[in-house]
Amino acid sequence: LKTEVIAIADEILKGMVINSNSTFISACLGKMGVKVDRHTVFPDDFAILKQAFTDALHRSDLVICTGGLGPTLDDLTRSVAAELFSSPFIFNEEIANDLIRRYGPSLTSLQDQATVPEKAVILQNSIGTAPGFLFEEKGKMLALLPGVPLEMEAMLQDALIPILRQKLPDQIGYHSERLYFCHLKETALDPTLRLIQKQYPSIDLGIYPGYGTLLVALRSNPLDLSAAKEQITAAFPTYVFTSSSGKIEDALIDLLRSDKKTVCFAESCTGGLLSHKIASIPGASDVLLGSFVTYSNKLKQDVLKVSKSSIDQQGSVSAQVVQEIAVSGIAGPSGGTKDKPVGTVWAAIGGKDSAAEVFKLNLRGNRQIIMLTTATELLGSLYRKIRYGIDLSKGF
Amino acid sequence: LKTEVIAIADEILKGMVINSNSTFISACLGKMGVKVDRHTVFPDDFAILKQAFTDALHRSDLVICTGGLGPTLDDLTRSVAAELFSSPFIFNEEIANDLIRRYGPSLTSLQDQATVPEKAVILQNSIGTAPGFLFEEKGKMLALLPGVPLEMEAMLQDALIPILRQKLPDQIGYHSERLYFCHLKETALDPTLRLIQKQYPSIDLGIYPGYGTLLVALRSNPLDLSAAKEQITAAFPTYVFTSSSGKIEDALIDLLRSDKKTVCFAESCTGGLLSHKIASIPGASDVLLGSFVTYSNKLKQDVLKVSKSSIDQQGSVSAQVVQEIAVSGIAGPSGGTKDKPVGTVWAAIGGKDSAAEVFKLNLRGNRQIIMLTTATELLGSLYRKIRYGIDLSKGF
């Protein structure tokens, strides 16, 4: 089965929006065992889209397309598809009634949205107004989904994937494993992976570094997979974290919850990101007390009682100040000095009954990257401290 | 000039990573007046890449490719390009010396990274180890950039774009305007835009809704552009925000700074996101004091002195509690009730000398979307309150 995903989105080609839809579709298909061979983004243009759909349906068996279905003036997708599949348009009472039920009879786009290609299976839009479509002919399928992520995601999961599961029962899913590491550099892992690749040539291997974490994805037969997995984790036992989403915050919440621990932050340079990363996971309230985001020196003194003399003598980014606040650093682009360049971050982690362990990170990148890496590395530090008992003050 | 961007990234096709590189490249080219016609993502596979590059160079004059240049075992891109341009490989002393200077002589990938296609112009990698390449033949250009966003961005801006500026001096940039709105729905704006499109057929119009903000992008000749811009802003004068990045947080910081105001948050459901959004902008320290992220009810009582009886009687997501804390809501997926479904958010905004204005948001979406929309809408509320004096308690 050859599969491709097309996004119709001028705003992506103009560099205004990131193409998250195609990744989402790939991930959902991946879970079914369907591999995606290509992503493409095209502008909203009749001639270009007609050629693009024709080419894609020639190459592939399943083409999933997002975007260009809205009620606004620049949407063409369904006309292109209807022409390719020689489908007339008809007014669909059922869609009209559903829209009236949800939006009332004065919805301006009602007539447009309820007029649909006769040959397509309708995919219900439970969130917005534009229905989706599945065209099928001679073993080729073309699905049209909306471009708004929320609408696309709901339609894909609730309407399209159930149909695909029925139509593609024999798609054999590959076996795969994902291993997650924190504080581990790609270059440190690479020699081990080269060995594994030699030992198990059947394995399809990928290393995907994030900011502060790293994913190793393996695909193969179950036997080779489990042997390789064991070998890799044995090489870096205290760097592994266990997380269904691949996020260190998910792993940390599970660990804190099972240990009946709670966490509270005092943040400076991350500006609330540490706390927000935890809060963004459902169930965070089991473990998250909150955070004192003392961005200004005034709040550091008033709220956390950091002494004015520590700040004056050592600067707010220092081992001394960070014993009284959990993380303080220079995210840039300005504020760096020769002794403390941009990317210098001091952090401290402690428990109710234990002294804080203080350590320094030397990070690179722009402001966003430094904040993000700081947050991920600190959540990783806390995780490794609790799970593996590593001594953070000795570096990692 | 026909242009396309190719990303070589198994991890995107597998649904693990979002393709932010192609959007970034498009945005940079757009600023030069170069329009991108297509984005594609391909797997790391010799035969597929050879066909993909051949097709792209047939269709387009400029092909920019990211990914597949790293030191790890699964990278093929430069071999494919060298074969297509019939280029032998040579050892480049200059690259080797630069790598030794930055990483020391024991860098394992030194020999690999310094062995490069002879016919390509070298694009220096100031951040990582993999150099980039620009191949040129018969008026067609193929640029190879690394896949790591930080390395790609630096190489694009510092090495490739200066060369492109010299090679493409006659590319005529279109004139464009971007208008940003907060609290404005696409459907409310659409009739006005339809009128504009009729009145100025030369204008290329796009509406791009974000979560809580909305962008209208216009392209045309300067005269029509400025007339259209004036007409659209006149229709929604108190919804406009001014921001070079398009982010409401940027607009708010500028406004607060020029008003010599500072801001402090007390957050519950956003978990630190309000504060982090402000902190992530360079210069945030001019206006941001900090945030009290009182995620747990215990911290709400201990730190913000919210009365236990308010929480017990009204629940923590209520008009009463929110007068003592700035934002409290139900982000889901659990925790909703019939009276207070998921997406119910209460918020309050006040100044030193003015009573807090209390208002409610009824949002839809998953946990991340609700948190993000809450943050953006509240920053927008504060902006519109300060800039236009709107009364938030009357709804917006």
Side-chain angles (χ1 to χ4, degrees), chain B residues 358-376:
Chain B
V358 175
F359 53 98
K360 191 168 94 162
L361 306 173
N362 300 300
L363 304 176
R364 293 198 301 186
N366 65 17
R367 187 175 179 90
Q368 275 71 30
I369 303 288
I370 289 174
M371 290 174 125
L372 184 59
T373 312
T374 300
T376 319

Side-chain angles (χ1 to χ4, degrees), chain A residues 85-370:
Chain A
F85 287 83
S86 314
S87 172
F89 279 87
I90 51 159
F91 184 79
N92 182 312
E93 293 280 350
E94 209 174 312
I95 295 175
N97 289 338
D98 175 56
L99 288 172
I100 291 169
R101 187 178 54 76
R102 288 189 294 142
Y103 294 91
S106 57
L107 178 72
T108 44
S109 61
L110 180 63
Q111 187 69 29
D112 280 357
Q113 298 286 24
T115 304
V116 297
E118 192 175 10
K119 287 191 184 172
V121 172
I122 305 299
L123 306 172
Q124 212 209 334
N125 189 332
S126 57
I127 293 177
T129 58
F133 307 100
L134 176 63
F135 293 87
E136 192 176 6
E137 208 173 77
K138 298 175 193 150
K140 304 278 187 174
M141 285 186 273
L142 171 65
L144 305 185
L145 306 176
V148 177
L150 271 182
E151 298 181 20
M152 185 282 293
E153 291 166 16
M155 189 182 290
L156 176 69
Q157 291 174 315
D158 303 339
L160 181 59
I161 283 186
I163 298 176
L164 292 181
R165 278 194 192 284
Q166 288 189 328
K167 289 192 185 282
L168 312 168
D170 300 328
Q171 289 309 310
I172 295 152
Y174 41 77
H175 289 263
S176 64
E177 282 279 359
R178 295 177 176 203
L179 303 176
Y180 299 100
F181 300 90
C182 46
H183 297 168
L184 194 58
K185 295 260 177 294
E186 187 179 0
T187 45
L189 191 59
D190 196 48
T192 306
L193 294 188
R194 285 178 191 260
L195 277 180
I196 295 278
Q197 185 72 85
K198 261 194 202 151
Q199 212 172 334
Y200 307 98
S202 79
I203 289 187
D204 173 13
L205 247 175
I207 318 176
Y208 306 110
Y211 297 109
T213 59
L214 193 141
L215 159 63
V216 175
L218 310 161
R219 292 199 302 180
S220 183
N221 61 65
L223 226 66
D224 283 3
L225 262 192
S226 95
K229 179 183 170 179
E230 204 166 300
Q231 225 164 301
I232 299 170
T233 53
F236 302 96
T238 70
Y239 292 83
V240 177
F241 68 91
T242 316
S243 163
S244 57
S245 68
K247 293 178 182 165
I248 180 68
E249 48 268 36
D250 249 328
L252 182 59
I253 291 176
D254 287 347
L255 186 64
L256 289 168
R257 188 187 288 118
S258 71
D259 271 22
K260 295 196 190 336
K261 285 188 162 71
T262 55
V263 64
C264 189
F265 301 101
E267 307 179 54
S268 181
C269 67
T270 43
L273 182 60
L274 271 170
S275 161
H276 175 66
K277 275 191 164 290
I278 298 288
S280 67
I281 306 294
S285 52
D286 293 347
V287 305
L288 177 63
L289 294 178
S291 179
F292 296 88
V293 184
T294 56
Y295 202 75
S296 60
N297 284 343
K298 183 170 163 41
L299 279 199
K300 286 185 188 73
Q301 293 167 38
D302 291 357
V303 178
L304 298 180
K305 310 298 177 203
V306 174
S307 76
K308 189 170 177 306
S309 70
S310 295
I311 293 179
D312 288 348
Q313 284 162 29
Q314 311 290 328
S316 60
V317 180
S318 61
Q320 193 164 341
V321 165
V322 92
Q323 301 208 30
E324 304 167 86
I325 172 178
V327 55
S328 184
I330 301 161
S334 62
T337 64
K338 207 182 154 194
D339 290 345
K340 295 179 185 173
V342 166
T344 305
V345 176
W346 278 96
I349 290 180
K352 252 184 190 167
D353 314 308
S354 56
E357 289 178 11
V358 175
F359 52 100
K360 191 167 92 161
L361 306 174
N362 300 301
L363 304 175
R364 294 197 304 185
N366 65 17
R367 187 176 180 88
Q368 275 72 32
I369 303 289
I370 289 174

Side-chain angles (χ1 to χ4, degrees), chain A residues 11 13 16-18 23 26 39-41 71-72 186 194 208 270-271 275-276 279-280 289-291 293 296 367-368, chain B residues 11 13 17-18 23 26 39-41 71-72 186 194 208 270-271 275-276 279-280 289-291 293 295-296 367-368:
Chain A
E11 62 271 35
L13 293 175
M16 295 189 294
V17 170
I18 290 172
T23 294
S26 268
H39 288 176
T40 330
V41 183
T72 52
E186 187 179 0
R194 285 178 191 260
Y208 306 110
T270 43
S275 161
H276 175 66
S280 67
L289 294 178
S291 179
V293 184
S296 60
R367 187 176 180 88
Q368 275 72 32
Chain B
E11 62 269 36
L13 293 174
V17 170
I18 289 171
T23 293
S26 269
H39 288 176
T40 329
V41 183
T72 51
E186 187 178 359
R194 285 178 190 261
Y208 307 110
T270 44
S275 164
H276 175 67
S280 67
L289 295 179
S291 179
V293 184
Y295 202 75
S296 59
R367 187 175 179 90
Q368 275 71 30

Side-chain angles (χ1 to χ4, degrees), chain B residues 39-261:
Chain B
H39 288 176
T40 329
V41 183
F42 291 107
D44 227 344
D45 176 286
F46 197 94
I48 291 174
L49 289 182
K50 195 170 168 189
Q51 187 62 50
F53 284 174
T54 307
D55 292 348
L57 287 166
H58 179 73
R59 272 189 309 258
S60 297
D61 309 292
L62 171 61
V63 178
I64 300 184
C65 172
T66 71
L69 290 184
T72 51
L73 56 160
D74 53 1
D75 293 324
L76 306 163
T77 319
R78 61 181 167 175
S79 309
V80 175
E83 188 173 311
L84 276 181
F85 286 84
S86 316
S87 172
F89 278 88
I90 50 161
F91 185 78
N92 184 311
E93 294 279 350
E94 211 174 312
I95 296 174
N97 290 337
D98 175 57
L99 288 173
I100 291 169
R101 189 180 53 77
R102 290 190 290 141
Y103 294 91
S106 58
L107 177 72
T108 44
S109 61
L110 180 63
Q111 186 70 28
D112 281 356
Q113 298 287 23
T115 303
V116 298
E118 190 175 10
K119 287 191 183 171
V121 173
I122 305 298
L123 306 172
Q124 213 211 332
N125 189 334
S126 58
I127 294 180
T129 57
F133 307 100
L134 177 62
F135 293 88
E136 192 176 6
E137 208 173 76
K138 298 175 192 152
K140 302 279 187 174
M141 284 185 275
L142 171 66
L144 306 185
L145 306 176
V148 178
L150 271 182
E151 299 181 21
M152 185 281 293
E153 290 166 17
M155 189 182 290
L156 176 70
Q157 292 175 315
D158 303 339
L160 182 59
I161 283 186
I163 298 177
L164 293 181
R165 279 193 193 285
Q166 288 189 328
K167 291 193 184 281
L168 311 168
D170 300 328
Q171 290 308 312
I172 296 153
Y174 42 78
H175 289 263
S176 65
E177 283 278 359
R178 294 175 177 205
L179 303 175
Y180 298 99
F181 300 91
C182 46
H183 297 167
L184 194 59
K185 294 258 178 297
E186 187 178 359
T187 45
L189 191 59
D190 195 49
T192 306
L193 294 188
R194 285 178 190 261
L195 278 179
I196 296 276
Q197 186 70 86
K198 262 193 200 150
Q199 213 172 332
Y200 307 98
S202 79
I203 290 187
D204 172 14
L205 248 175
I207 318 177
Y208 307 110
Y211 296 109
T213 61
L214 193 141
L215 158 63
V216 176
L218 309 160
R219 291 199 304 179
S220 181
N221 61 65
L223 226 67
D224 283 5
L225 260 192
S226 96
K229 178 184 171 180
E230 204 166 301
Q231 224 165 303
I232 298 170
T233 52
F236 302 96
T238 70
Y239 292 83
V240 177
F241 68 91
T242 316
S243 163
S244 58
S245 68
K247 293 178 183 166
I248 180 69
E249 48 267 38
D250 249 328
L252 181 60
I253 289 176
D254 288 346
L255 186 64
L256 289 168
R257 188 187 287 119
S258 71
D259 271 22
K260 297 199 189 338
K261 284 188 161 74

